[in-house]
């Protein structure tokens, strides 16, 4: 049976517009506003409001979404029955609100309250597009603000599912002021050190996008959701140009650095639970629960291996080993040392640089922030990751994640492996020097422990921008230098072919740098170091990192910052 023939042919409407089909059996079927095909109501409702024909995401009523996300019986609704305002004294507006209240069984376009997801208590707010396109008027702004204020008072995280056409025209300037009010409440919530997760659904536009929707510590989005300030039609009418396919969709925002990740609807509860779990207890609390054994804290923090190994290879041989194609890269250390890694994307300004990967994970049960400069394992990966040479958006992403770690008292673990910062014209246009300088400036005073480990090449300021740390360690055959040996030889001797001589002069090996006091530890490598021989390295690093964290998390913030300042002050 061709279900589409049951419907009268109509002009396709824009996503989200109301569509009436009197020919369809009442309450049995509807037309998907994504693909236009007829679907049984029960099929897409049982499929989390996802079209079974095209996989398109249809709008999910607030109460249905809440039932899917929270633990049964845990949702306690707040602030119902607030009186709607009519500041412009529009005659038809109160009747429109009353009619929607009867039709949707909602009092307004957002439902707020307290609940549990897994073991996590939180404040949850869900917008519902059936109520005046979930536009933000005074009641919506007030409910959201009250929810945030109560979350701050009760020290709870906030999760908001956004869906909105923006400001509510019928309330004029009163609606506009809700943008400032909700943002100010979130600032106080953030200053209290509390987590805010924003989840963007289709569509999130206008004043909601330009206020609380884009202020999350972590911003998630459903696939293909329309997200933007000005709507596509407004933009096209203004600039008189046809917009590219996929413009303002979730995938577009991910590529341009404005959201952390895209999450399928069926996975949303699992992902939220994982993120909330990681923020429920700080690293300090985790280690206090474990205890701080005195014998481990007293363990010697000096050289790990004999300096006799220094003479076994020339500096140039170590340069070649640091650059070896089969040498483990950043993602190998992430998978080898940490559990439940959740990658976050974007610098919130321009893009998501694949040369730097970062996110949160567990290390021996302790939540940590992990950031790695990433080379590829083949030509295709190296092209995608720009051969491990970050652009400004990569450094800004790293700094954003470090500041997030500081807020939630998570230690930062950095893996450094780059020939240097990318020297292209686009990098200069976007402020490569400023981005590196900002990292040095902010890392010097980051109020949480920072450990940087050089795993391959450590080239110039591009490496230093992730190595202003409490301690810096090097793998035995890693290198760390002011620039490449080839560049050094070209500048000093006008002859890049003298790179081997330059490598010796530059004192760029782990042993040279340990003797000079630039690094605290050298981690021994096997004779042939590949992914197959990486296990011993990971075991060694695990033991050393556990000792580092126990020691650093036992210090006050003042002791930590003074120690880091003195480390670089004395160089």
């Amino acid at each position: 049976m061709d279900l589409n023939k049951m419907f009268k042919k109509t002009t396709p409407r824009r996503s989200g517009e109301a569509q009436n089909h009197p020919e369809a059996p009442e309450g049995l079927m509807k037309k998907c506003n994504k693909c236009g095909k007829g679907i049984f109501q029960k099929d897409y409702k049982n499929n989390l409001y996802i079209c079974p024909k095209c996989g398109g995401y249809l709008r999910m009523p607030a109460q249905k979404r809440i039932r899917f996300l929270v633990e049964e019986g845990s949702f306690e609704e707040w602030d119902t029955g607030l009186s709607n305002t009519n500041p412009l004294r529009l005659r038809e507006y109160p009747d429109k609100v009353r009619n929607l209240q009867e039709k949707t069984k909602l009092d307004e376009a957002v439902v707020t309250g307290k609940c549990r997801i897994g073991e996590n208590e939180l404040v949850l707010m869900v917008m519902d597009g059936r109520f005046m396109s979930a536009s933000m008027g005074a009641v919506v702004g007030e409910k959201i603000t009250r929810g945030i204020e109560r979350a701050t008072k009760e020290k709870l995280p906030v999760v908001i599912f956004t869906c909105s056409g923006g400001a509510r025209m019928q309330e004029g300037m009163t609606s506009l002021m809700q943008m400032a009010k909700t943002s100010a409440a979130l600032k106080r919530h953030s200053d209290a050190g509390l987590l805010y997760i924003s989840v963007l659904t289709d569509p999130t536009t206008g004043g909601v996008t330009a206020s609380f929707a884009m202020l999350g510590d972590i911003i998630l989005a459903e696939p293909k959701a329309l997200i933007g300030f000005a709507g596509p039609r407004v933009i096209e009418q203004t600039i008189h140009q046809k917009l590219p396919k996929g413009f303002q969709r979730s995938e577009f925002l991910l590529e341009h650095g404005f959201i952390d990740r895209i999450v399928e609807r069926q996975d949303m509860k699992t992902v939220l639970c994982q993120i909330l779990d990681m923020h429920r207890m700080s690293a300090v609390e985790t280690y206090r629960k474990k205890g701080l054994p005195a014998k481990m804290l007293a363990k010697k923090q000096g050289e790990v291996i004999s300096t006799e190994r220094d003479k076994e290879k020339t500096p140039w041989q170590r340069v070649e080993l640091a650059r070896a194609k089969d040498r483990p890269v950043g993602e190998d250390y992430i998978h080898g040392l940490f559990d439940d890694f959740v990658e976050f994307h974007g610098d919130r300004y321009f893009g998501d640089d694949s040369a730097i990967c970062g996110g949160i994970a567990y290390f021996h049960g302790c939540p940590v922030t992990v950031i790695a400069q990433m080379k590829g394992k083949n030509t295709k990966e190296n092209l995608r990751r720009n051969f491990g040479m970050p652009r400004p958006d990569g450094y800004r992403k790293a700094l954003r994640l470090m500041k997030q770690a500081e807020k939630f008292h998570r230690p930062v673990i950095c893996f450094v492996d780059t020939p240097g910062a990318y020297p292209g014209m686009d990098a200069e246009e976007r402020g490569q020097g400023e981005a590196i300088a900002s990292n040095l400036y902010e890392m010097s005073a980051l109020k949480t422990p920072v450990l940087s480990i050089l795993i391959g090449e450590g080239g110039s300021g591009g490496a230093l921008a992730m190595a202003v740390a409490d301690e810096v360690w090097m793998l035995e055959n890693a290198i760390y230098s002011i620039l490449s040996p080839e560049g050094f030889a070209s500048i000093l001797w006008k002859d890049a072919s003298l790179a081997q001589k330059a490598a010796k002069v530059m004192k760029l090996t782990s042993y040279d740098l340990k003797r000079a006091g630039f690094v605290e530890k050298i981690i021994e490598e096997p004779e042939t170091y590949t992914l197959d021989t990486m296990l011993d390295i990971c075991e060694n690093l695990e033991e050393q990192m556990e000792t580092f964290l126990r020691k650093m998390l036992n210090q006050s913030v003042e002791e930590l910052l003074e120690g880091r300042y003195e480390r670089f002050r004395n160089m």
Side-chain angles (χ1 to χ4, degrees):
M1 177 175 67
D2 186 355
L3 298 177
N4 293 297
K5 289 181 179 177
M6 298 179 66
F7 296 91
K8 181 179 177 181
K9 287 188 177 179
T10 58
T11 304
R13 296 175 184 261
R14 291 184 299 276
S15 170
E17 285 193 356
Q19 301 184 37
N20 298 314
H21 303 284
E23 302 78 42
E26 184 67 30
L28 179 63
M29 300 189 66
K30 71 166 288 179
K31 195 171 184 179
C32 174
N33 58 21
K34 305 294 183 184
C35 66
K37 293 180 179 178
I39 52 177
F40 285 105
Q41 296 263 20
K42 64 179 179 63
D43 285 347
Y44 83 89
K45 288 181 179 180
N46 291 340
N47 196 34
L48 296 177
Y49 290 76
I50 299 171
C51 175
K53 301 286 182 68
C54 69
Y57 278 44
L58 309 179
R59 295 182 192 175
M60 195 174 188
Q63 296 290 4
K64 301 278 187 182
R65 193 184 291 275
I66 290 167
R67 279 199 289 274
F68 166 66
L69 288 169
V70 311
E71 305 313 310
E72 187 175 355
S74 71
F75 187 73
E76 170 195 319
E77 189 171 356
W78 290 349
D79 297 316
T80 59
L82 297 184
S83 298
N84 210 291
T85 61
N86 187 12
L88 301 185
R89 301 185 182 280
L90 298 176
R91 204 173 353 176
E92 69 280 5
Y93 181 46
D95 288 339
K96 185 170 186 176
V97 170
R98 279 192 294 271
N99 291 338
L100 282 168
Q101 287 172 336
E102 291 174 10
K103 183 178 178 180
T104 63
K105 309 303 180 190
L106 298 169
D107 64 350
E108 250 295 349
V110 66
V111 178
T112 68
K114 184 163 70 172
C115 65
R116 279 187 299 106
I117 296 179
E119 297 180 16
N120 304 285
E121 192 173 47
L122 66 143
V123 172
L124 177 66
M125 310 188 203
V126 181
M127 303 187 80
D128 195 315
R130 296 174 300 158
F131 201 107
M132 295 188 71
S133 299
S135 54
M136 181 165 61
V139 172
V140 170
E142 183 65 19
K143 289 184 75 170
I144 289 171
T145 301
R146 287 190 188 191
I148 296 166
E149 288 173 341
R150 193 161 167 185
T152 306
K153 185 177 180 180
E154 297 186 23
K155 295 182 168 50
L156 293 174
V158 169
V159 176
I160 303 180
F161 280 77
T162 65
C163 168
S164 180
R168 187 168 294 181
M169 297 299 103
Q170 292 88 338
E171 295 189 20
M173 281 297 293
T174 299
S175 174
L176 190 70
M177 291 301 107
Q178 306 311 305
M179 295 168 61
K181 183 166 80 176
T182 53
S183 300
L186 281 170
K187 180 67 169 71
R188 291 191 171 194
H189 184 263
S190 179
D191 288 347
L194 299 168
L195 173 68
Y196 167 40
I197 303 173
S198 178
V199 185
L200 314 178
T201 74
D202 182 53
T204 297
T205 60
V208 168
T209 300
S211 57
F212 62 86
M214 300 305 292
L215 293 176
D217 295 298
I218 297 164
I219 303 178
L220 310 177
E222 289 190 331
K224 296 182 174 59
L226 174 66
I227 304 161
F229 179 57
R233 282 183 301 163
V234 173
I235 296 172
E236 286 186 338
Q237 289 167 3
T238 303
I239 67 174
H240 305 294
Q241 293 178 15
K242 186 71 177 172
L243 297 176
K245 187 178 180 180
F247 179 73
Q248 289 186 313
R249 296 288 166 179
S250 306
E251 294 73 13
F252 177 89
L253 267 73
L254 182 69
E255 180 185 347
H256 287 81
F258 292 103
I259 62 176
D260 283 292
R261 61 184 296 185
I262 295 170
V263 182
E264 299 281 350
R265 188 172 285 173
Q266 62 269 24
D267 299 328
M268 188 63 73
K269 180 175 180 176
T270 301
V271 171
L272 284 174
C273 191
Q274 185 180 15
I275 294 171
L276 289 164
D277 283 345
M278 287 181 168
H279 288 80
R280 192 166 68 244
M281 186 178 293
S282 73
V284 174
E285 291 170 320
T286 302
Y287 273 92
R288 279 178 182 160
K289 276 196 167 186
K290 286 183 176 186
L292 294 159
K295 63 179 181 179
M296 180 165 273
L297 288 174
K299 189 171 180 178
K300 187 179 177 184
Q301 298 294 306
E303 183 131 27
V304 176
I305 56 178
S306 168
T307 54
E308 288 299 312
R309 294 175 63 96
D310 184 11
K311 302 172 185 176
E312 293 177 5
K313 293 180 178 64
T314 67
W316 183 250
Q317 286 174 324
R318 298 194 191 277
V319 170
E320 292 180 314
L321 288 169
R323 295 172 174 175
K325 290 181 180 179
D326 56 354
R327 187 177 180 86
V329 295
E331 75 175 310
D332 298 320
Y333 291 90
I334 291 174
H335 296 313
L337 292 166
F338 305 96
D339 297 318
D340 301 330
F341 177 68
V342 181
E343 184 177 359
F344 294 146
H345 295 269
D347 66 347
R348 297 288 189 273
Y349 291 102
F350 179 85
D352 179 51
D353 186 356
S354 295
I356 289 183
C357 171
I360 55 178
Y362 288 114
F363 176 75
H364 292 190
C366 172
V368 295
T369 290
V370 186
I371 306 169
Q373 292 173 327
M374 302 285 272
K375 291 181 179 177
K377 296 185 177 182
N378 53 48
T379 302
K380 184 178 179 180
E381 280 189 19
N382 267 317
L383 288 170
R384 182 169 72 86
R385 299 195 181 280
N386 203 34
F387 295 87
M389 294 185 289
R391 289 178 165 85
D393 20 306
Y395 291 114
R396 290 176 180 133
K397 173 170 68 173
L399 183 56
R400 178 177 76 84
L401 295 176
M402 290 179 202
K403 296 299 286 184
Q404 186 187 95
E406 178 182 53
K407 174 179 174 179
F408 297 113
H409 311 292
R410 283 193 300 266
V412 177
I413 314 293
C414 296
F415 294 94
V416 181
D417 187 11
T418 180
Y422 181 64
M425 187 173 74
D426 60 336
E428 292 299 322
E429 287 174 339
R430 299 203 294 275
Q432 186 71 286
E434 186 278 338
I436 292 171
S438 292
N439 277 32
L440 307 183
Y441 179 83
E442 296 290 350
M443 288 182 76
S444 71
L446 212 61
K447 297 181 180 70
T448 195
V450 183
L451 171 65
S452 293
I453 306 171
L454 285 108
I455 58 174
E457 291 185 270
S460 192
L464 183 61
M466 282 179 53
V468 180
D470 301 297
E471 289 189 12
V472 178
W473 304 348
M474 288 182 72
L475 267 69
E476 185 179 8
N477 293 317
I479 59 171
Y480 193 12
S481 58
I482 190 170
L483 77 170
S484 69
E486 293 86 351
F488 188 96
S490 294
I491 292 172
L492 254 64
W493 305 318
K494 315 299 182 192
D495 187 353
S497 68
L498 298 175
Q500 292 191 37
K501 175 184 175 183
K504 185 175 181 179
V505 170
M506 293 170 74
K507 299 191 182 303
L508 46 64
T509 72
S510 59
Y511 294 98
D512 292 325
L513 295 162
K514 176 70 174 65
R515 279 191 291 268
F518 297 125
V519 301
E520 278 74 20
K521 288 183 186 296
I522 301 171
I523 308 298
E524 182 179 352
E525 293 184 28
E527 188 61 33
T528 302
Y529 185 31
T530 65
L531 200 56
D532 294 333
T533 59
M534 190 182 179
L535 181 60
D536 287 345
I537 294 277
C538 284
E539 288 179 349
N540 190 355
L541 278 172
E542 274 195 67
E543 182 182 348
Q544 302 295 332
M545 286 163 60
E546 175 81 2
T547 303
F548 170 84
L549 290 176
R550 288 179 182 271
K551 181 182 73 169
M552 292 300 171
L553 291 170
N554 203 38
Q555 294 183 358
S556 67
V557 170
E558 291 75 18
E559 290 172 326
L560 184 78
L561 295 181
E562 187 61 26
R564 193 182 308 152
Y565 183 81
E566 288 301 319
R567 182 185 185 278
F568 289 93
R569 176 66 181 82
N570 294 325
M571 288 182 179

